[in-house]
Amino acid sequence: MNATLYRQPQFRVAGDRAILMELGDGISPEIHARIRAMLIALEAAELPGVVECLPSYRTLALLYDPLHTSFNRLRQELSDLHDRLAAVTVPEPRVVTLPVCYGGDLGPDLEFVAAHHRLTPAEVVALHTSPDYLVYMIGFTPGFPYLGGLPEALHTPRLTRPRKRVPAGSVGIANGQTGIYPIDSPGGWQLIGQTPARLFDPGRPSPFLLNAGDILRFAAIEREEFTALTTTTPT
Amino acid sequence: MHACQQRSYRQFVVQRPGFFSSVQDRGRFGYQRFGVPVAGALDPLAAALANLLVGNEADAALLECTLLGPSLRVLEEAMVAVTGAAMPLSLNGRSIPNWTAWRVRPGDELTIGSAAAGCRAYLAVSGGLAAPPVMGSTACYGGAGIGGHLGNGQPLASGHSLCRWPGIFVTPGRTVPPAHRPDYPTEILLRAIPGPQDDFFEQGMTTFFSSPFTVSPEASRMGYRLEGPQVSQKPGVPASIISEPSFPGGVQIPPNGQPIVLLVEQTVGGYSKIASVISSDLGRLAQAVPGNRIRFARVSLDEACRLLAEQKERLAAVAADLDLQSAAAAETVTDPCTARFAELYPNCLP
């Protein structure tokens, strides 16, 4: 799919407390960059009545207090900010490297994924650890990253029967997506490994490891290192 | 189990937890972009009225009871009030009215029964329930294991304790005037604003706003699945959208054409949304139970904002009325817990 940036943002009404600002018609790093620049401009502008700003693939959503601002006022303010985006300095993205122990009981579907693509498990690991993945957005469960950049050679269908419980930290593949389960949950992704890092920990001052706009890399570690990191990670 | 914090008091021991009872407040804001939904009281109006009855701020932490309420043994003197769904309330086996502030004393047993109308009742207690805040809120969200009375997303269980902060003791008998008590009918009209994907629908829009739907058994704090005539998208539009943030009230139309009205436990969605239920009507949906009938009426964004402002004014009017009732009785007593605290820590008043 060829995604294109809109010349002018499109606005949608999402109830009486939210405005959606669409900056393009699909998923692409360019549209994401525009979303990120807009978010930075918006946070600096501190518009009155804005409760939360939520970046996503091509849409920036604002939750607002309708007793302190209005859809029309926000549409105007957002359009004005968009017109001046060229002047916004966007910092280099943060690069986060996640250690992952691939295969074995921590990645029970690695063998299947390898067989599916006529690769060896080591080739799957080499392919999965090669790209810089872009964190497009966080959602679905607390801290879950929607990542772009999975090599096409690893696109694999979901499990036919989802698991009732996938442990937190599991790294999986579903069709063209790869991701990490931040909390124990049911799930249908092909599990190829597990990270000892905690993507969501409500007790930490920063509960979330990843943010939209980050660059994510996976680094393969051995089982011993996984165990060592798991036992030294404060709980 | 109890996790009372400094300066809070063990107020109740749970004898029976009810069907699903959880501590809630106005919700957890600021983390939706990280995938943490707001959670919070599903019927904010009923919750606010319960808090106002006992002299709390409208958004203090309180207990949300679902379908069948808990039975609680009282450990400290306090004021309590139950609003929302018609769950019969009794104190030591004697029936007492809802929508009214009552004084309870150590050894009392407070029982909240099964809902005769509506789905969720709210128990407020003087000072507000004390629970460990997680990311700025006590709202219980089981999906991520956060919030609630233990801070870990669990609902009440037998033997657990509920704690409260010191508060004031308002005049017993303060009551929400009957005209201001919502009723909980089995046929519910919800007002909704078309969008955000209203351009995905033509005939489906007419179907949505003209047909009755039935609440299915799949109705939770995450959302309500409805059953009824198929709401179809225009030919040629994609079956799903690029995932985008979703908000309470959004009405998703999955490929089977059966609407799902989102509530407070979802942050992202990939189905098109035909409309959004207005904020001031969301509590009415949360009071619906499986089998109830739902109709949608189309309103403008301006109308929705006017209705929300009106609801806020009505709440302020009730608050003023409650103050008058207290003034007439000329009695607001210091919480004995506060007095005891002052005795113990003379230089450190809460």
Side-chain angles (χ1 to χ4, degrees):
Chain A
M1 180 164 87
N2 270 335
T4 47
L5 270 170
Y6 294 145
R7 244 168 211 288
Q8 290 302 323
Q10 295 186 7
F11 294 96
R12 291 179 183 269
V13 174
D16 51 22
R17 291 175 184 275
I19 178 170
L20 304 183
M21 180 189 200
E22 290 177 357
L23 299 183
D25 66 355
I27 301 173
S28 78
E30 294 71 34
I31 293 168
H32 166 80
R34 185 67 66 83
I35 292 271
R36 191 156 166 254
M38 192 63 213
L39 184 65
I40 288 167
L42 191 55
E43 283 171 348
E46 293 184 12
L47 302 180
V50 173
V51 178
E52 282 190 54
C53 308
L54 293 77
S56 62
Y57 282 118
R58 61 167 187 144
T59 305
L60 190 60
L62 266 70
L63 187 66
Y64 63 89
D65 180 349
L67 303 177
H68 288 97
T69 186
S70 70
F71 181 88
N72 287 334
R73 180 173 164 181
L74 281 169
R75 180 168 57 187
Q76 187 59 52
E77 289 168 333
L78 290 168
S79 296
D80 292 347
L81 285 174
H82 188 263
D83 289 343
R84 299 196 302 268
L85 266 194
V88 173
T89 316
V90 179
E92 282 296 301
R94 209 166 58 115
V95 179
V96 180
T97 302
L98 274 188
V100 176
C101 181
Y102 288 92
D105 59 323
L106 299 175
D109 303 321
L110 179 65
E111 299 279 346
F112 173 85
V113 171
H116 185 79
H117 297 289
R118 299 174 195 278
L119 297 167
T120 64
E123 286 169 329
V124 171
V125 173
L127 276 169
H128 195 255
T129 50
S130 62
D132 280 355
Y133 295 95
L134 173 59
V135 180
Y136 277 103
M137 59 191 278
I138 307 279
F140 175 59
T141 57
F144 177 86
Y146 287 82
L147 300 174
L150 181 70
E152 216 161 299
L154 292 182
H155 291 196
T156 318
R158 288 165 190 271
L159 298 178
T160 43
R161 288 187 59 191
R163 291 185 171 87
K164 286 212 169 70
R165 180 183 165 274
V166 173
S170 295
V171 176
I173 291 175
N175 303 314
Q177 275 191 292
T178 186
I180 310 118
Y181 287 84
I183 54 176
D184 292 355
S185 49
W189 293 35
Q190 305 277 0
L191 305 182
I192 59 170
Q194 195 173 322
T195 177
R198 299 178 65 155
L199 275 75
F200 172 59
D201 180 353
R204 280 193 309 236
S206 314
F208 308 95
L209 197 62
L210 299 172
N211 203 343
D214 290 345
I215 296 293
L216 181 64
R217 293 176 186 150
F218 294 110
I221 57 168
E222 295 301 321
R223 183 62 191 239
E224 294 71 35
E225 198 180 343
F226 178 89
T227 310
L229 286 168
T230 310
T231 46
T232 53
T233 306
T235 53
Chain B
M1 284 171 87
H2 73 100
C4 287
Q5 293 157 292
Q6 220 184 350
R7 299 183 184 183
S8 69
Y9 295 87
R10 274 180 82 193
Q11 175 62 43
F12 301 112
V13 175
V14 179
Q15 309 289 102
R16 289 193 311 276
F19 176 67
F20 184 88
S21 312
S22 65
V23 173
Q24 300 292 345
D25 58 17
R26 64 187 285 270
R28 187 173 284 104
F29 288 87
Y31 300 98
Q32 290 179 85
R33 63 188 281 188
F34 294 107
V36 180
V38 286
L42 276 180
D43 185 346
L45 183 65
L49 288 168
N51 273 320
L52 292 175
L53 272 170
V54 298
N56 294 344
E57 295 291 329
D59 56 4
L62 78 178
L63 194 69
E64 180 177 278
C65 312
T66 315
L67 293 169
L68 170 68
S71 182
L72 306 168
R73 180 165 300 279
V74 176
L75 301 177
E76 294 282 352
E77 198 168 357
M79 301 303 302
V80 298
V82 174
T83 64
M87 299 190 189
L89 182 62
S90 67
L91 189 60
N92 302 323
R94 192 173 61 89
S95 172
I96 54 174
N98 300 41
W99 302 97
T100 304
W102 295 98
R103 188 176 293 197
V104 293
R105 295 183 169 80
D108 283 352
E109 186 154 327
L110 184 69
T111 299
I112 304 174
S114 150
C119 183
R120 296 162 218 277
Y122 293 89
L123 166 68
V125 57
S126 353
L129 289 176
V134 180
M135 298 189 289
S137 166
T138 61
C140 184
Y141 172 45
I146 57 173
H149 61 300
L150 298 175
N152 64 2
Q154 275 184 32
L156 291 202
S158 295
H160 285 190
S161 298
L162 282 173
C163 308
R164 72 169 175 93
W165 300 110
I168 57 166
F169 276 23
V170 298
T171 313
R174 269 171 38 134
T175 190
V176 174
H180 286 283
R181 299 177 191 177
D183 55 352
Y184 300 107
T186 55
E187 303 212 349
I188 299 156
L189 182 71
L190 298 175
R191 290 161 291 191
I193 307 163
Q197 281 83 33
D198 43 324
D199 51 342
F200 279 41
F201 301 88
E202 271 170 4
Q203 184 56 40
M205 191 64 83
T206 310
T207 309
F208 179 72
F209 280 118
S210 63
S211 314
F213 295 90
T214 305
V215 176
S216 83
E218 287 179 82
S220 70
R221 290 177 50 81
M222 184 186 274
Y224 272 48
R225 280 181 188 267
L226 307 181
E227 290 163 353
Q230 187 175 350
V231 177
S232 34
Q233 297 197 154
K234 281 197 298 211
V237 297
S240 60
I241 59 167
I242 296 172
S243 290
E244 66 177 24
S246 61
F247 298 99
V251 185
Q252 289 184 332
I253 306 295
N256 70 3
Q258 302 292 284
I260 305 168
V261 191
L262 300 176
L263 288 175
V264 299
E265 293 188 354
Q266 183 165 330
T267 63
V268 171
Y271 293 131
S272 59
K273 291 174 284 292
I274 191 171
S276 305
V277 175
I278 66 173
S279 298
S280 49
D281 278 0
L282 269 183
R284 292 152 56 82
L285 175 63
Q287 292 292 359
V289 296
N292 284 176
R293 302 266 272 181
I294 306 274
R295 278 179 177 278
F296 295 94
R298 183 180 187 138
V299 293
S300 68
L301 182 53
D302 285 347
E303 178 75 352
C305 293
R306 194 182 61 72
L307 290 164
L308 186 63
E310 253 180 41
Q311 192 178 65
K312 197 178 173 188
E313 281 164 23
R314 277 203 306 276
L315 196 60
V318 177
D321 184 283
L322 291 174
D323 284 347
L324 280 176
Q325 292 179 39
S326 276
E331 186 197 7
T332 295
V333 182
T334 308
D335 180 350
C337 286
T338 310
R340 190 170 349 128
F341 190 90
E343 257 172 50
L344 289 170
Y345 307 99
N347 301 318
C348 186
L349 269 172

